[in-house]
């Protein structure tokens, strides 16, 4: 069984590890003390794999590298000489990982003939990154990402396959891989990072997804970022040579976009979740901050 999983990981260019399903110590307490957006806190948030599959015996954790941008988004990519441009993280332009990672896990469940299984891709309570460390995909970085010390860095999305198959667990990835490095803390435009802690309210990834009006400070922190931000990953030495490009997009193209065009262009991407108005607001914000008001 183990060799099938290893072969699958090699064929799909993924990271895969296995963890026992026992709850991870300290996670509940950490979540209770941490403000997190877009997710409920315990006890509303159910953290244990057994809450999702009562006879669970193993948690298979898969890390899939970011996919290239969808073909449909080519119309918003800046042409050479475009005067007004902003930046979008490649993950926002790729096919939505919730679907691509789920598809990979469905394929894997079929391959190992899992009698009962449950797939969680940002769709349940367990904290995927905690399980990724437990299953040995990588270590916790000071930038709050899971970093693979092999050649994968941190640019991967995580999904969980809970199964009632009993599989041997992988060695956890709980090493200190950062040492004295502080590059990510220094580079963060919102100064949102302390080692291993994120103040999400100052994080561009959150700001570019939140509803409502943005404060002057939030607009300043965004800089040229229209959607998501991965600066703290880009500067990380473990990502040298594996960081996907930030994509330069046309601000005028985005500001003139209609809802229909948004549907055709962004329907397969993660940006579809927050919708048309948020993307247009962000494009107008970057235009006003960087170009109009200087
Ligand atoms: S994603 Fe950007 S804003 Fe958020 S912590 Fe990383 S560098 Fe800071
Ligand atoms: S940039 Fe340095 S401190 Fe930050 S996660 Fe990477 S190795 Fe760790």
């Amino acid at each position: 069984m183990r060799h099938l999983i290893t072969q699958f990981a090699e064929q799909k260019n993924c990271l895969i590890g296995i963890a026992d399903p026992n709850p991870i110590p300290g996670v509940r307490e950490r979540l209770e003390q941490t403000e997190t957006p877009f997710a409920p806190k315990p006890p509303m948030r159910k953290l244990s794999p057994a809450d999702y599959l009562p006879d669970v015996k193993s948690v298979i954790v898969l890390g899939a590298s970011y996919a290239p941008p969808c073909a449909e988004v080519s119309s918003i990519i800046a042409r050479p000489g475009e005067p007004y441009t902003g930046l979008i993280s490649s993950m926002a332009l790729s096919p939505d990982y919730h679907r691509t990672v789920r598809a990979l896990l469905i394929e894997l469940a079929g391959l190992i003939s899992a009698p009962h299984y449950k797939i969680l891709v940002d769709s349940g309570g367990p904290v995927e990154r905690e399980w990724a460390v437990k299953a040995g995909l990588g270590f916790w970085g000071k930038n709050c990402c899971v970093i693979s010390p092999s050649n994968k860095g941190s640019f991967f999305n995580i999904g969980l396959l809970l199964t009632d198959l009993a599989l041997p667990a992988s060695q956890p990835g709980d090493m200190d891989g950062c040492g004295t490095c502080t590059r990510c803390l220094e580079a963060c435009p919102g100064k949102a990072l302390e080692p291993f802690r994120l103040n999400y309210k100052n994080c561009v990834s959150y700001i570019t997804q939140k509803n409502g009006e943005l404060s002057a400070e939030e607009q300043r922190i965004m800089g040229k970022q229209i959607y998501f931000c991965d600066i703290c990953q880009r500067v990380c030495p473990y990502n040298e040579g594996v960081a996907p490009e930030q994509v330069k997009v046309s601000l005028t193209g985005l500001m003139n976009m209609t809802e229909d065009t948004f549907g055709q262009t962004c329907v397969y991407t993660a940006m579809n979740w927050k919708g048309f108005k948020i993307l247009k607001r962000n494009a107008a914000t970057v235009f006003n901050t960087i170009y109009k008001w200087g």
Side-chain angles (χ1 to χ4, degrees):
M1 183 68 70
R2 185 78 205 206
H3 76 278
L4 278 180
I5 296 173
T6 309
Q7 251 178 18
F8 182 84
E10 282 168 9
Q11 280 166 7
K12 304 291 182 184
N13 194 22
C14 294
L15 295 163
I16 300 186
I18 299 166
D20 72 63
N22 299 326
I24 301 172
V27 174
R28 177 172 299 275
E29 293 72 19
R30 276 201 290 284
L31 279 182
E32 278 165 355
Q33 291 161 14
T34 312
E35 286 296 321
T36 46
F38 312 128
K41 274 180 177 288
M44 297 302 289
R45 182 169 181 170
K46 299 202 177 309
L47 297 173
S48 168
D51 291 327
Y52 299 87
L53 187 73
D55 50 353
V56 61
K57 294 199 177 58
S58 306
V59 179
I60 303 177
V61 186
L62 181 142
S65 297
Y66 292 7
C70 296
E72 288 80 1
V73 302
S74 58
S75 59
I76 58 171
I77 292 174
R79 310 273 172 251
E82 184 90 36
Y84 306 120
T85 60
L87 295 170
I88 297 189
S89 298
S90 63
M91 193 180 94
L93 298 171
S94 304
D96 188 349
Y97 82 91
H98 297 87
R99 283 188 284 165
T100 53
V101 173
R102 177 172 291 275
L104 280 168
L105 290 170
I106 290 172
E107 198 177 334
L108 180 59
L111 184 74
I112 60 175
S113 307
H116 297 107
Y117 67 88
K118 174 85 183 169
I119 289 170
L120 299 175
V121 183
D122 194 26
S123 56
V127 184
E128 280 99 347
R129 282 177 288 174
E130 299 273 5
W131 286 93
V133 173
K134 182 170 177 180
L137 266 59
F139 64 89
W140 274 111
K142 288 179 188 169
N143 60 4
C144 301
C145 293
V146 179
I147 301 175
S148 162
S150 66
N151 60 357
K152 291 277 192 285
S154 61
F155 284 96
F156 56 85
N157 296 121
I158 302 165
L160 309 181
L161 172 62
L162 318 181
T163 167
D164 56 348
L165 288 171
L167 300 167
S170 316
Q171 185 69 24
D174 46 5
M175 61 184 258
D176 171 16
C178 289
T180 56
C181 177
T182 52
R183 281 196 208 178
C184 53
L185 313 185
E186 287 149 24
C188 174
K191 294 290 168 256
L193 287 168
E194 290 169 33
F196 312 107
R197 270 184 94 89
L198 171 72
N199 171 5
Y200 77 87
K201 288 183 182 159
N202 286 350
C203 173
V204 177
S205 286
Y206 166 72
I207 293 169
T208 57
Q209 295 182 80
K210 72 176 275 198
N211 295 330
E213 278 191 28
L214 302 179
S215 68
E217 177 62 1
E218 286 171 330
Q219 295 178 25
R220 183 197 67 75
I221 292 171
M222 275 172 68
K224 286 192 93 173
Q225 292 296 138
I226 293 173
Y227 223 97
F228 294 164
C229 165
D230 46 26
I231 292 169
C232 53
Q233 294 191 77
R234 265 168 206 291
V235 298
C236 178
Y238 288 96
N239 283 321
E240 263 171 38
V242 296
E245 290 290 311
Q246 288 251 63
V247 182
K248 228 187 229 187
V249 291
S250 160
L251 287 177
T252 37
L254 288 176
M255 288 191 294
N256 292 325
M257 193 181 236
T258 64
E259 198 155 4
D260 281 350
T261 321
F262 173 81
Q264 290 151 15
T265 311
C266 300
V267 64
Y268 300 119
T269 71
M271 293 189 294
N272 197 43
W273 179 53
K274 294 302 289 188
F276 171 65
K277 286 189 181 151
I278 294 287
L279 181 60
K280 279 192 79 143
R281 177 204 64 187
N282 293 350
T285 299
V286 171
F287 179 78
N288 287 330
T289 312
I290 304 290
Y291 295 104
K292 193 168 169 190
W293 311 122

